Amino acid sequence: QVQLVESGGGSVQAGGSLRLSCKVSGFTYDKYCIAWFRQAVGKEREGVAAIGSDGKTRYTESVKGRLTISLDNAKNTVYLQMNNLKPEDTAMYYCAADEYVPLVVHRLLPAAYNYWGPGTQVTVSS
Protein backbone atom coordinates (compact mmCIF):
# COMPACT_ATOMS: atom_id res chain seq x y z
CA GLN A 1 0.00 0.00 0.00
CA VAL A 2 1.45 3.31 -1.10
CA GLN A 3 1.52 5.99 1.56
CA LEU A 4 2.74 9.57 1.38
CA VAL A 5 3.03 11.73 4.47
CA GLU A 6 3.93 15.41 4.33
CA SER A 7 5.50 17.42 7.13
CA GLY A 8 7.26 20.73 7.67
CA GLY A 9 4.45 23.18 7.10
CA GLY A 10 3.87 26.14 9.38
CA SER A 11 3.47 29.88 9.63
CA VAL A 12 6.21 32.28 8.55
CA GLN A 13 6.54 35.93 7.65
CA ALA A 14 7.10 37.04 4.09
CA GLY A 15 10.71 36.50 3.07
CA GLY A 16 11.07 33.50 5.36
CA SER A 17 11.84 29.88 4.54
CA LEU A 18 10.36 26.44 5.13
CA ARG A 19 11.36 22.95 4.07
CA LEU A 20 8.58 20.51 3.39
CA SER A 21 9.20 16.76 3.50
CA CYS A 22 7.25 13.93 1.91
CA LYS A 23 7.97 10.43 3.21
CA VAL A 24 7.01 7.77 0.66
CA SER A 25 6.40 4.12 1.55
CA GLY A 26 5.10 1.08 -0.30
CA PHE A 27 6.11 2.56 -3.66
CA THR A 28 7.64 -0.09 -5.90
CA TYR A 29 7.99 1.58 -9.29
CA ASP A 30 11.52 1.68 -10.65
CA LYS A 31 10.60 4.69 -12.76
CA TYR A 32 8.42 7.30 -11.14
CA CYS A 33 7.49 10.93 -10.73
CA ILE A 34 6.87 12.77 -7.50
CA ALA A 35 5.43 16.25 -7.29
CA TRP A 36 4.30 18.97 -4.93
CA PHE A 37 0.94 20.61 -5.44
CA ARG A 38 -0.81 23.36 -3.52
CA GLN A 39 -4.37 24.50 -3.11
CA ALA A 40 -5.36 27.84 -1.66
CA VAL A 41 -8.83 28.45 -0.31
CA GLY A 42 -11.26 28.95 -3.17
CA LYS A 43 -8.71 28.05 -5.84
CA GLU A 44 -7.92 25.00 -7.92
CA ARG A 45 -5.09 22.65 -7.07
CA GLU A 46 -1.88 23.85 -8.71
CA GLY A 47 1.27 21.92 -9.58
CA VAL A 48 4.29 23.58 -7.97
CA ALA A 49 7.30 21.34 -8.60
CA ALA A 50 7.97 17.84 -9.87
CA ILE A 51 10.92 15.49 -10.09
CA GLY A 52 11.26 12.25 -11.99
CA SER A 53 13.42 9.19 -11.55
CA ASP A 54 15.28 10.59 -14.58
CA GLY A 55 16.37 13.51 -12.42
CA LYS A 56 14.50 16.09 -14.46
CA THR A 57 12.61 18.76 -12.57
CA ARG A 58 9.83 21.12 -13.52
CA TYR A 59 8.52 24.19 -11.71
CA THR A 60 5.55 26.42 -12.16
CA GLU A 61 6.63 29.87 -13.25
CA SER A 62 5.67 31.71 -10.06
CA VAL A 63 8.07 29.70 -7.87
CA LYS A 64 11.14 29.49 -10.09
CA GLY A 65 14.23 30.65 -8.25
CA ARG A 66 12.51 30.40 -4.85
CA LEU A 67 11.43 26.77 -4.46
CA THR A 68 13.62 23.72 -5.03
CA ILE A 69 12.51 20.10 -5.20
CA SER A 70 14.94 17.32 -4.32
CA LEU A 71 14.89 13.58 -3.73
CA ASP A 72 16.74 11.47 -1.16
CA ASN A 73 16.37 7.89 -2.38
CA ALA A 74 18.06 6.45 0.69
CA LYS A 75 15.38 8.01 2.91
CA ASN A 76 12.48 7.59 0.45
CA THR A 77 11.81 11.27 0.99
CA VAL A 78 11.14 14.20 -1.31
CA TYR A 79 11.82 17.72 -0.12
CA LEU A 80 10.56 21.13 -1.15
CA GLN A 81 12.87 23.90 0.00
CA MET A 82 10.90 27.13 0.04
CA ASN A 83 12.81 30.42 0.24
CA ASN A 84 11.71 34.04 0.01
CA LEU A 85 8.14 33.03 0.72
CA LYS A 86 5.32 35.37 -0.27
CA PRO A 87 1.77 35.70 1.08
CA GLU A 88 0.49 34.25 -2.20
CA ASP A 89 2.33 31.01 -1.37
CA THR A 90 -0.20 30.42 1.43
CA ALA A 91 -1.95 27.12 0.72
CA MET A 92 -2.28 23.49 1.67
CA TYR A 93 0.65 21.67 0.12
CA TYR A 94 0.27 18.10 -1.10
CA CYS A 95 2.78 15.49 -2.19
CA ALA A 96 1.81 13.16 -5.05
CA ALA A 97 3.48 10.19 -6.72
CA ASP A 98 2.93 7.76 -9.56
CA GLU A 99 4.62 5.88 -12.36
CA TYR A 100 7.02 7.72 -14.62
CA VAL A 101 5.44 10.50 -16.68
CA PRO A 102 7.53 10.75 -19.87
CA LEU A 103 6.57 14.27 -20.88
CA VAL A 104 8.02 16.73 -18.38
CA VAL A 105 5.31 19.25 -19.24
CA HIS A 106 2.68 16.81 -17.91
CA ARG A 107 4.35 16.34 -14.54
CA LEU A 108 2.54 19.26 -12.93
CA LEU A 109 -0.92 18.01 -13.84
CA PRO A 110 -2.95 16.58 -10.93
CA ALA A 111 -4.46 13.95 -13.25
CA ALA A 112 -1.01 12.38 -13.72
CA TYR A 113 -0.96 11.16 -10.10
CA ASN A 114 -2.95 8.51 -8.28
CA TYR A 115 -1.21 8.61 -4.92
CA TRP A 116 -1.56 11.62 -2.64
CA GLY A 117 -0.66 12.61 0.88
CA PRO A 118 -3.07 14.35 3.29
CA GLY A 119 -1.29 17.71 2.98
CA THR A 120 0.52 20.20 5.19
CA GLN A 121 -0.51 23.84 5.65
CA VAL A 122 1.80 26.72 4.78
CA THR A 123 0.79 30.21 5.86
CA VAL A 124 2.83 33.27 4.91
CA SER A 125 1.98 36.59 6.54
CA SER A 126 2.90 39.99 5.19
Side-chain angles (χ1 to χ4, degrees):
Q1 181 179 359
V2 178
Q3 286 190 323
L4 291 80
V5 180
E6 303 94 337
S7 61
S11 298
V12 296
Q13 291 190 328
S17 297
L18 285 172
R19 189 177 78 157
L20 306 183
S21 299
C22 174
K23 178 75 172 179
V24 183
S25 60
F27 200 69
T28 59
Y29 299 116
D30 290 332
K31 295 184 177 181
Y32 53 83
C33 283
I34 302 177
W36 286 95
F37 291 80
R38 66 186 180 188
Q39 188 165 17
V41 174
K43 294 188 177 182
E44 292 186 355
R45 191 165 295 191
E46 173 192 30
V48 175
I51 187 166
S53 52
D54 56 10
K56 294 181 180 178
T57 58
R58 182 168 179 87
Y59 297 91
T60 193
E61 194 65 34
S62 63
V63 307
K64 286 181 180 178
R66 301 188 299 117
L67 275 58
T68 304
I69 189 170
S70 61
L71 173 64
D72 186 333
N73 283 307
K75 296 182 178 180
N76 293 330
T77 301
V78 177
Y79 301 99
L80 186 67
Q81 178 65 44
M82 310 169 71
N83 298 327
N84 190 23
L85 284 162
K86 303 177 180 180
E88 51 264 41
D89 294 318
T90 294
M92 184 72 80
Y93 282 72
Y94 300 92
C95 179
D98 214 314
E99 284 188 276
Y100 182 70
V101 180
L103 292 178
V104 176
V105 69
H106 290 168
R107 295 180 180 179
L108 292 181
L109 299 177
Y113 299 89
N114 285 300
Y115 304 105
W116 293 81
T120 185
Q121 177 68 36
V122 172
T123 303
V124 185
S125 58
S126 57

